[in-house]
Amino acid sequence: MNDGATAVPALDVAGVSKAYDTASGRRIALSETSVRIEAGEFVSVVGPSGCGKSTLLMMMAGLLAPSEGEIRLDGRPIDGPPPGLAVVFQDYSRSLFPWMSVRRNLALAAASDKLPKEEVARRVQHCLTAVGLPDAADLRPYQMSGGMQQRVAIARALMVQPQVMLMDEPFAAVDAQTRADLEDLVVRLGQEFGATIVFVTHDIDEAVYVADRVLVLAAGPGRLAADIPVDLGSRRDQVETKLDPEFARLRSEVFQLVMRPRAIVDVPVSASA
Ligand code: ADP
């Protein structure tokens, strides 16, 4: 977890707005959002559906351009998918190649680094071991449960030794027990690999449990409503942490912020021209 503020934040979101053109007008998905995320921080982003969480994450990934403002990674403006950044999506079944072995799925992630074969093999084994699947290299994704496939997707993200890992609702499609195991996995990986993690979720308990800081977005238009430090220590435990009165206080604070009334209002086409 974070050791303290650095001069140049890992991710610097500076005055960012994003508007989409829709049939009914311009939709402001995110309005004038600024936030600095320090190297090694684990930041979750929570908010009601449609408040711009995925839009923010896709702009951080360089997959969408802001309409206004700028996002910098280590001081460099992001104008396309940058090296050193990995994304884990919710839909693991579509993010892995089902006909390829786990080994090939992982090796492919590092292909553009042109590493020697031995280094690729070493990394594959290291990353699979890190996610608790040391013996899975020869399996195909369809032979694995949803939770195992999402572990493989995380291992694949680790293959590029990411400085920043962006996760978009990564555990929304798995059962509750698997979800708890995966939450503990990402907390541990964040600490072991030292990556900066931005974790989008609509689950308030999850947002508080995994993070050093919770960014709460509000809708109508999407914007940053609160930036809440999570002072629960670096060791998290599904039972003990959730019984901690500070956890209860934080989840109640975030819940109240998320439940505020909201509305999505498009600027009519004539007015936005
Ligand atoms: P969240 O991830 O918080 O659910 P999104 O970032 O997906 O929110 O969406 C924010 C707003 O932008 C929503 O009102 C959504 O309908 C709209 N939106 C997202 N993507 C597009 C798009 N490609 N075209 C038009 N509107 C979009």
Side-chain angles (χ1 to χ4, degrees):
M1 297 210 175
N2 186 33
D3 294 329
T6 49
V8 179
L11 276 169
D12 190 2
V13 179
V16 165
S17 299
K18 178 68 185 176
Y20 294 106
D21 289 317
T22 71
S24 56
R26 283 202 104 199
R27 175 165 304 164
I28 315 284
L30 202 66
S31 173
E32 292 173 25
T33 296
S34 296
V35 64
R36 290 161 59 101
I37 298 175
E38 310 297 340
E41 264 193 307
F42 197 135
V43 175
S44 55
V45 181
V46 70
S49 187
C51 68
K53 302 185 291 296
S54 295
T55 298
L56 177 61
L57 206 80
M58 290 306 103
M59 289 191 290
M60 287 176 169
L63 296 169
L64 266 182
S67 307
E68 280 169 41
E70 191 171 65
I71 304 185
R72 290 184 282 270
L73 173 68
D74 254 351
R76 287 182 299 276
I78 294 176
D79 55 7
L85 187 145
V87 188
V88 177
F89 296 99
Q90 173 184 339
D91 196 349
Y92 47 79
S93 62
R94 283 200 293 173
S95 65
L96 298 173
F97 294 112
W99 65 91
M100 283 185 192
S101 66
V102 165
R103 185 193 314 284
R104 283 194 66 206
N105 267 286
L106 263 61
L108 209 55
S112 61
D113 290 352
K114 303 213 171 14
L115 300 167
K117 266 191 346 206
E118 301 72 37
E119 171 59 11
V120 174
R122 193 197 63 78
R123 274 199 205 176
V124 166
Q125 200 48 48
H126 179 63
C127 295
L128 285 176
T129 304
V131 301
L133 295 173
D135 303 320
D138 294 318
L139 295 176
R140 303 277 187 284
Y142 67 82
Q143 296 173 304
M144 312 175 95
S145 68
M148 287 170 78
Q149 289 182 47
Q150 194 55 301
R151 281 174 191 263
V152 173
I154 294 168
R156 195 182 54 178
L158 295 174
M159 282 293 289
V160 299
Q161 301 186 330
Q163 170 198 352
V164 174
M165 195 146 86
L166 306 177
M167 309 186 88
D168 194 1
E169 303 256 8
F171 311 145
V174 297
D175 64 82
Q177 178 59 50
T178 303
R179 186 170 190 145
D181 292 343
L182 289 169
E183 288 167 0
D184 289 337
L185 175 72
V186 289
V187 170
R188 182 171 60 71
L189 292 177
Q191 293 169 1
E192 278 180 21
F193 284 73
T196 308
I197 300 182
V198 182
F199 185 98
V200 165
T201 178
H202 62 260
D203 184 309
I204 292 167
D205 285 29
E206 181 169 87
V208 173
Y209 181 75
V210 295
D212 298 324
R213 225 169 120 193
V214 179
L215 303 179
V216 184
L217 299 192
R223 65 201 182 279
L224 186 61
D227 182 345
I228 301 172
V230 175
D231 195 7
L232 291 170
S234 58
R235 187 182 165 276
R236 305 286 161 99
D237 178 90
Q238 291 286 346
V239 177
E240 279 172 32
T241 304
K242 288 178 179 174
L243 286 173
D244 188 328
E246 179 62 4
F247 180 84
R249 191 194 66 73
L250 285 163
R251 75 179 293 278
S252 152
E253 182 180 353
V254 174
F255 181 75
Q256 287 176 46
L257 286 159
V258 170
M259 295 311 284
R260 276 189 187 151
R262 63 211 152 83
I264 295 172
V265 182
D266 288 343
V267 181
V269 176
S270 54
S272 66

Short mmCIF file of all heavy atoms in Angstrom, two decimals, residues 20 39 55 58 96 103-104 115 119-120 134 137 148 207 239:
data_model
loop_
_atom_site.label_atom_id
_atom_site.label_comp_id
_atom_site.label_asym_id
_atom_site.label_seq_id
_atom_site.Cartn_x
_atom_site.Cartn_y
_atom_site.Cartn_z
N TYR A 20 -20.70 12.29 -24.42
CA TYR A 20 -21.00 11.41 -25.55
C TYR A 20 -22.10 12.08 -26.37
O TYR A 20 -23.02 12.66 -25.80
CB TYR A 20 -21.53 10.06 -25.07
CG TYR A 20 -20.54 9.21 -24.31
CD1 TYR A 20 -20.65 9.06 -22.93
CD2 TYR A 20 -19.53 8.53 -24.97
CE1 TYR A 20 -19.76 8.24 -22.23
CE2 TYR A 20 -18.64 7.71 -24.27
CZ TYR A 20 -18.77 7.58 -22.90
OH TYR A 20 -17.89 6.77 -22.21
N ALA A 39 1.56 6.54 -6.45
CA ALA A 39 2.12 5.22 -6.76
C ALA A 39 1.89 4.26 -5.60
O ALA A 39 2.14 4.60 -4.45
CB ALA A 39 3.61 5.35 -7.06
N THR A 55 -16.42 5.05 -17.73
CA THR A 55 -15.89 6.09 -18.61
C THR A 55 -14.56 6.60 -18.06
O THR A 55 -13.58 6.74 -18.81
CB THR A 55 -16.91 7.25 -18.72
OG1 THR A 55 -18.11 6.73 -19.31
CG2 THR A 55 -16.39 8.40 -19.55
N MET A 58 -11.91 3.88 -18.59
CA MET A 58 -11.50 3.74 -19.99
C MET A 58 -10.61 4.91 -20.43
O MET A 58 -9.72 4.74 -21.26
CB MET A 58 -12.74 3.64 -20.90
CG MET A 58 -13.51 2.35 -20.78
SD MET A 58 -12.50 0.85 -21.00
CE MET A 58 -12.30 0.30 -19.34
N LEU A 96 -10.55 -13.95 -22.30
CA LEU A 96 -9.54 -15.00 -22.52
C LEU A 96 -9.87 -15.72 -23.83
O LEU A 96 -11.04 -15.85 -24.19
CB LEU A 96 -9.57 -16.01 -21.38
CG LEU A 96 -9.23 -15.48 -19.97
CD1 LEU A 96 -9.46 -16.56 -18.93
CD2 LEU A 96 -7.80 -14.97 -19.91
N ARG A 103 -1.37 -21.15 -20.50
CA ARG A 103 0.02 -20.74 -20.77
C ARG A 103 0.09 -19.79 -21.98
O ARG A 103 0.70 -18.73 -21.91
CB ARG A 103 0.85 -21.99 -21.06
CG ARG A 103 2.35 -21.75 -21.23
CD ARG A 103 3.03 -22.98 -21.84
NE ARG A 103 2.65 -24.24 -21.22
CZ ARG A 103 3.08 -24.67 -20.04
NH1 ARG A 103 3.93 -23.95 -19.35
NH2 ARG A 103 2.67 -25.82 -19.55
N ARG A 104 -0.62 -20.16 -23.06
CA ARG A 104 -0.57 -19.31 -24.27
C ARG A 104 -1.32 -18.00 -24.06
O ARG A 104 -0.91 -16.96 -24.55
CB ARG A 104 -1.13 -20.07 -25.47
CG ARG A 104 -0.14 -21.09 -26.02
CD ARG A 104 -0.55 -21.58 -27.39
NE ARG A 104 -0.50 -20.53 -28.40
CZ ARG A 104 -1.25 -20.53 -29.51
NH1 ARG A 104 -2.11 -21.51 -29.73
NH2 ARG A 104 -1.15 -19.56 -30.38
N LEU A 115 10.33 -10.83 -25.14
CA LEU A 115 11.18 -11.41 -24.09
C LEU A 115 11.71 -12.76 -24.55
O LEU A 115 11.06 -13.44 -25.36
CB LEU A 115 10.35 -11.61 -22.82
CG LEU A 115 9.72 -10.37 -22.21
CD1 LEU A 115 8.67 -10.76 -21.17
CD2 LEU A 115 10.79 -9.48 -21.59
N GLU A 119 12.24 -16.40 -20.15
CA GLU A 119 11.69 -15.37 -19.27
C GLU A 119 10.16 -15.41 -19.32
O GLU A 119 9.49 -15.26 -18.29
CB GLU A 119 12.22 -13.97 -19.69
CG GLU A 119 11.57 -12.79 -18.99
CD GLU A 119 11.70 -12.78 -17.46
OE1 GLU A 119 12.47 -13.59 -16.92
OE2 GLU A 119 11.00 -11.98 -16.81
N VAL A 120 9.60 -15.65 -20.53
CA VAL A 120 8.14 -15.76 -20.64
C VAL A 120 7.66 -16.94 -19.79
O VAL A 120 6.72 -16.81 -19.00
CB VAL A 120 7.69 -15.93 -22.11
CG1 VAL A 120 6.18 -16.19 -22.19
CG2 VAL A 120 8.06 -14.70 -22.92
N PRO A 134 -0.94 -22.62 -9.52
CA PRO A 134 0.38 -23.01 -10.03
C PRO A 134 0.34 -24.16 -11.04
O PRO A 134 1.28 -24.30 -11.82
CB PRO A 134 1.13 -23.42 -8.76
CG PRO A 134 0.07 -23.75 -7.76
CD PRO A 134 -1.09 -22.87 -8.09
N ALA A 137 -1.36 -24.24 -16.05
CA ALA A 137 -0.83 -23.74 -17.33
C ALA A 137 -1.36 -24.49 -18.56
O ALA A 137 -1.55 -23.90 -19.62
CB ALA A 137 0.70 -23.80 -17.32
N MET A 148 -11.86 -19.22 -11.33
CA MET A 148 -10.51 -19.57 -11.81
C MET A 148 -10.17 -18.78 -13.07
O MET A 148 -9.05 -18.30 -13.24
CB MET A 148 -10.43 -21.07 -12.10
CG MET A 148 -10.40 -21.94 -10.86
SD MET A 148 -10.62 -23.69 -11.27
CE MET A 148 -9.00 -24.15 -11.88
N ALA A 207 -15.91 -1.94 -2.05
CA ALA A 207 -15.14 -0.71 -2.28
C ALA A 207 -14.34 -0.35 -1.04
O ALA A 207 -13.16 0.03 -1.12
CB ALA A 207 -16.07 0.43 -2.66
N VAL A 239 -13.72 -11.47 7.95
CA VAL A 239 -14.56 -11.45 9.16
C VAL A 239 -14.16 -10.27 10.05
O VAL A 239 -14.97 -9.38 10.35
CB VAL A 239 -14.45 -12.78 9.92
CG1 VAL A 239 -15.25 -12.73 11.21
CG2 VAL A 239 -14.92 -13.94 9.04
#
